[in-house]
Amino acid sequence: MSSSAIAVSLDGDNSLPSWFKPARLLYVEFDADAYVSDLRRFVPLETLSSQLQKYLTVLKGKLVEVINEDYNDFVSLSTKLVNVDGAVTQMQKPLLTLKDKLISAQAAVQSELSALNQGLQRRQQAAKVKALLELMQDTAHVMSKVEKLLAEVDALIAQQGHDNLTRDALDSRTRLYERVASEVSRLKYFLAKGDQLPILQQLQPRADSAVKRLSSFLSQALDAALREGHQSAVLHCLQAYTAVGDTHSAEQVVQQALVVPLVESVIAEEQEGRALGAAPASDQLAPVLETMLTRVQEQCGELLQTTMAPQSGLQSFDFLGNSILAAVDQQVASSLPGAFSPGVPISFISNYRAAMHFLDQLESMCTTKTAFQALRDSPAYDSFLRRWKVSVYFSLRFQEIAGPLEASVALPSLTTVTQEQQSSNSLHLHLQPSLSLWHALQRCTADGVYLQPLADKFARLVLQLLARYAFWVAEGIASTKTSSGAATPSQDGLVNPQGDRSWAGRASPEQLALVRADLDSLAAWTEDQFWPEMQQRLSFLPTEVVESIGSSFQEAQNSMTAQAGPVKDAIVSILLDRCLTVLRQLRGITATYRMTARPLPTRPSHYVGGVLQPLRAFLGTDAGKHLQPAAQQEVAEGVAATVSQQYASMVSELLDMLQKTEQSLARVRRNKPADSAAAGDGSELSNIQKISLQLFLDVKEFGVQMQKHNVQPSSLTEYQDLWSIVAPEDKPLEKAFHENK
């Protein structure tokens, strides 16, 4: 009986409680902890444990019953097995007989297999020996044939000579060379195949001698064919070189016979023209390389087209790199060494661009990808590029570009742009550092300075220039926060540092206005004109690289434009000090009304009209007018706000003092006779009212003066606080200035 059947039968037992289901114990996903947790909510743990013990007892009883049901069959199983050993012996005898037969058959098959393998090995050995014999015979035959053909060549040369050959004679001779080359190619193949055979090793010196003689003959024939312009003979020679696998020798012959004379003649003409004054006395490569390129196309164009043709079988030659470019590289380096020198940057960049144009033209002659890659991989290409020390050129340009900016920002005082520099100051900058930065940034992308291989270095230089200028402004503005008092300008209008290490230690607001005007001009120019031009210079780079440089440029530009706010704050701080000098006359109002029996005021104090006079004077100067309207508004609002804040502080202090004085007088009056106290009380209240009214009129007039500078009093929190201190409750700020308008 299965366990599930037992569990089902137990489930049907009426003696089991309703909450106990034995079938759940057989579930695959049964979890004892979860089972106990579920049941303990209905029954105590002691009851559950007791029920499980009873169930275990029942299971053990059922197990005994199952065993007892089939016990007799288990016991009688051994008694029914009779004469087992005899049956085993009877079955074993035929099996042993079959085993002996199989072993005998296996031995016979193995013997036949060994005989077959030995026969195959003897046949393979015989075939190998036969192949070696045929190889030696073929090698000896080809060697003999090559030597006979070379003997024919010697006889032909002895009869006709090397020079003054007719076109037909040259053609027939190159055909013979091509035939010899095909046999030499076979000979080299046979020798490479049997390089371990002593007899073929003995033939190697004879083969090397034959190859050397053939190479000499081919060189002479190719040289003559090139000089005569015999294209058929040239093709036969090139086919012969291809057959023997000696393309390098053919490239050398073409270089010496065709290209070197061409290059030397061009350089000689250029030097002759320089001596006669027809050409500038400098190593200018542009006209030289241009003439070389024209003549190369005229004299080598047909040869290049033939060798690069897809079906020519001559693609193994690299005449562009190993012949033409190699000759140009060697001859220019020996005859015009100054052309590669970065010591004169203007000449260097002109020569470099001419050289890169020359390489581009050579690459444009490649008609296949294989030819293009062969040119790029040639030693001459690498040698020609390594002659151009672009890193040294950049170092010189770096000093030339960054030097003036560094010199101008190192000065202890601000230096304005001179009259002579105005012609090159289309951006209308006012200070030397700003003009130096503008010129430096322009030179970084100028055609006469910028080189594409140095794009990353010039981009880094641009970021360094912007960062240096921003740091110069930030350092100067930081010094104004630690300086006391305003700067005293000298007769020439520059800052008198008086021992300050920074240019702005005692700068005037007019000079700071020039700094702010230059910052605004440079920020607009770099964003609208310079960066688009820089992007165009970097367009050959991957998009993600350009975006990364653009992000860095934006960060550098932000660091520069971020100084506009501190510069404005410095201007406001200096103007605030000047305005407060006038505003301090506020303290004389108390004495005026206490010492004299003046009537109630109807007009503002005379000093109020001069509180913002420093701002008005500043904006009326040339420096103030150089500021953009938005910057002028920022300065006006900044001065108005800070003066309002100080004004409110001074008014509060004055009113507090009056209040304390009133309280002191009140205590004194309480100790005086009633008539005297009453008279004094009315007089003091009248003075306080007069002073408060005068303050109100002054603050209102101050707001009117602010409006003259396009600053609305109601828009400034500082002025609102000031108004709330002095204005009566029935005089709201908005209504007061609306009526004034």
Side-chain angles (χ1 to χ4, degrees), residues 186-494:
R186 291 181 61 202
L187 177 62
K188 293 175 68 176
Y189 170 76
F190 290 147
L191 290 174
K193 190 175 181 181
D195 58 347
Q196 302 297 327
L197 299 176
I199 188 172
L200 296 187
Q201 292 175 356
Q202 295 176 3
L203 293 177
Q204 189 65 49
R206 294 169 58 187
D208 293 340
S209 176
V211 172
K212 185 176 180 180
R213 291 172 61 191
L214 176 61
S215 179
S216 176
F217 294 151
L218 283 174
S219 298
Q220 295 172 359
L222 180 58
D223 182 272
L226 291 172
R227 296 182 187 279
E228 292 292 334
H230 198 323
Q231 291 300 320
S232 178
V234 169
L235 288 178
H236 290 310
C237 291
L238 295 181
Q239 294 288 357
Y241 275 114
T242 303
V244 297
D246 189 15
T247 58
H248 178 70
S249 297
E251 293 166 350
Q252 292 297 314
V253 172
V254 171
Q255 176 183 344
Q256 296 300 323
L258 198 60
V259 185
V260 170
L262 180 152
V263 175
E264 289 178 345
S265 65
V266 173
I267 294 177
E269 291 174 4
E270 192 274 339
Q271 292 176 340
E272 182 180 356
R274 185 190 308 176
L276 296 176
S282 60
D283 294 337
Q284 294 294 326
L285 280 185
V288 176
L289 294 179
E290 191 67 29
T291 305
M292 287 182 184
L293 186 63
T294 301
R295 297 190 182 179
V296 163
Q297 292 174 339
E298 292 175 353
Q299 301 187 24
C300 304
E302 186 176 356
L303 175 63
L304 295 174
Q305 292 178 0
T306 302
T307 55
M308 293 182 189
Q311 305 300 328
S312 65
L314 302 175
Q315 290 87 359
S316 57
F317 293 101
D318 180 21
F319 292 120
L320 279 175
N322 296 329
S323 299
I324 297 174
L325 185 56
V328 171
D329 179 44
Q330 296 171 6
Q331 295 300 318
V332 171
S334 60
S335 303
L336 303 172
F340 300 100
S341 175
V344 183
I346 297 178
S347 299
F348 177 84
I349 192 172
S350 175
N351 292 337
Y352 177 82
R353 287 176 174 167
M356 296 303 104
H357 176 71
F358 178 75
L359 289 181
D360 291 340
Q361 292 300 314
L362 290 183
E363 292 175 351
S364 67
M365 296 181 186
C366 299
T367 58
T368 62
K369 185 178 180 180
T370 303
F372 177 83
Q373 193 62 42
L375 174 61
R376 285 282 182 95
D377 295 338
S378 64
Y381 194 95
D382 181 64
S383 173
F384 191 66
L385 289 180
R386 283 189 288 106
R387 294 189 187 277
W388 302 98
K389 309 299 182 182
V390 291
S391 59
V392 179
Y393 165 79
F394 178 78
S395 299
L396 297 176
R397 287 298 194 186
F398 182 91
Q399 299 173 6
E400 177 185 325
I401 294 173
L405 175 62
E406 189 62 33
S408 62
V409 299
L411 295 176
S413 60
L414 287 175
T415 306
T416 57
V417 177
T418 63
Q419 189 65 30
E420 292 78 9
Q421 294 173 322
Q422 291 296 339
S423 59
S424 60
N425 186 14
S426 60
L427 205 59
H428 304 296
L429 300 172
H430 308 94
L431 302 175
Q432 287 287 356
S434 304
L435 186 62
S436 298
L437 173 65
W438 184 51
H439 286 165
L441 292 177
Q442 284 182 312
R443 288 183 62 78
C444 287
T445 57
D447 289 336
V449 176
Y450 176 83
L451 282 180
Q452 192 176 92
L454 298 173
D456 59 328
K457 296 183 181 295
F458 277 108
R460 188 183 302 112
L461 177 56
V462 167
L463 301 178
Q464 292 172 339
L465 292 172
L466 292 173
R468 183 67 183 95
Y469 183 80
F471 177 78
W472 170 73
V473 177
E475 185 182 32
I477 296 304
S479 68
T480 63
K481 299 179 181 179
T482 58
S483 301
S484 59
T488 302
S490 59
Q491 294 180 355
D492 57 359
L494 303 181

Side-chain angles (χ1 to χ4, degrees), residues 49 151 438 482 562 696 710:
S49 175
W438 184 51
T482 58
F696 171 70
N710 297 323

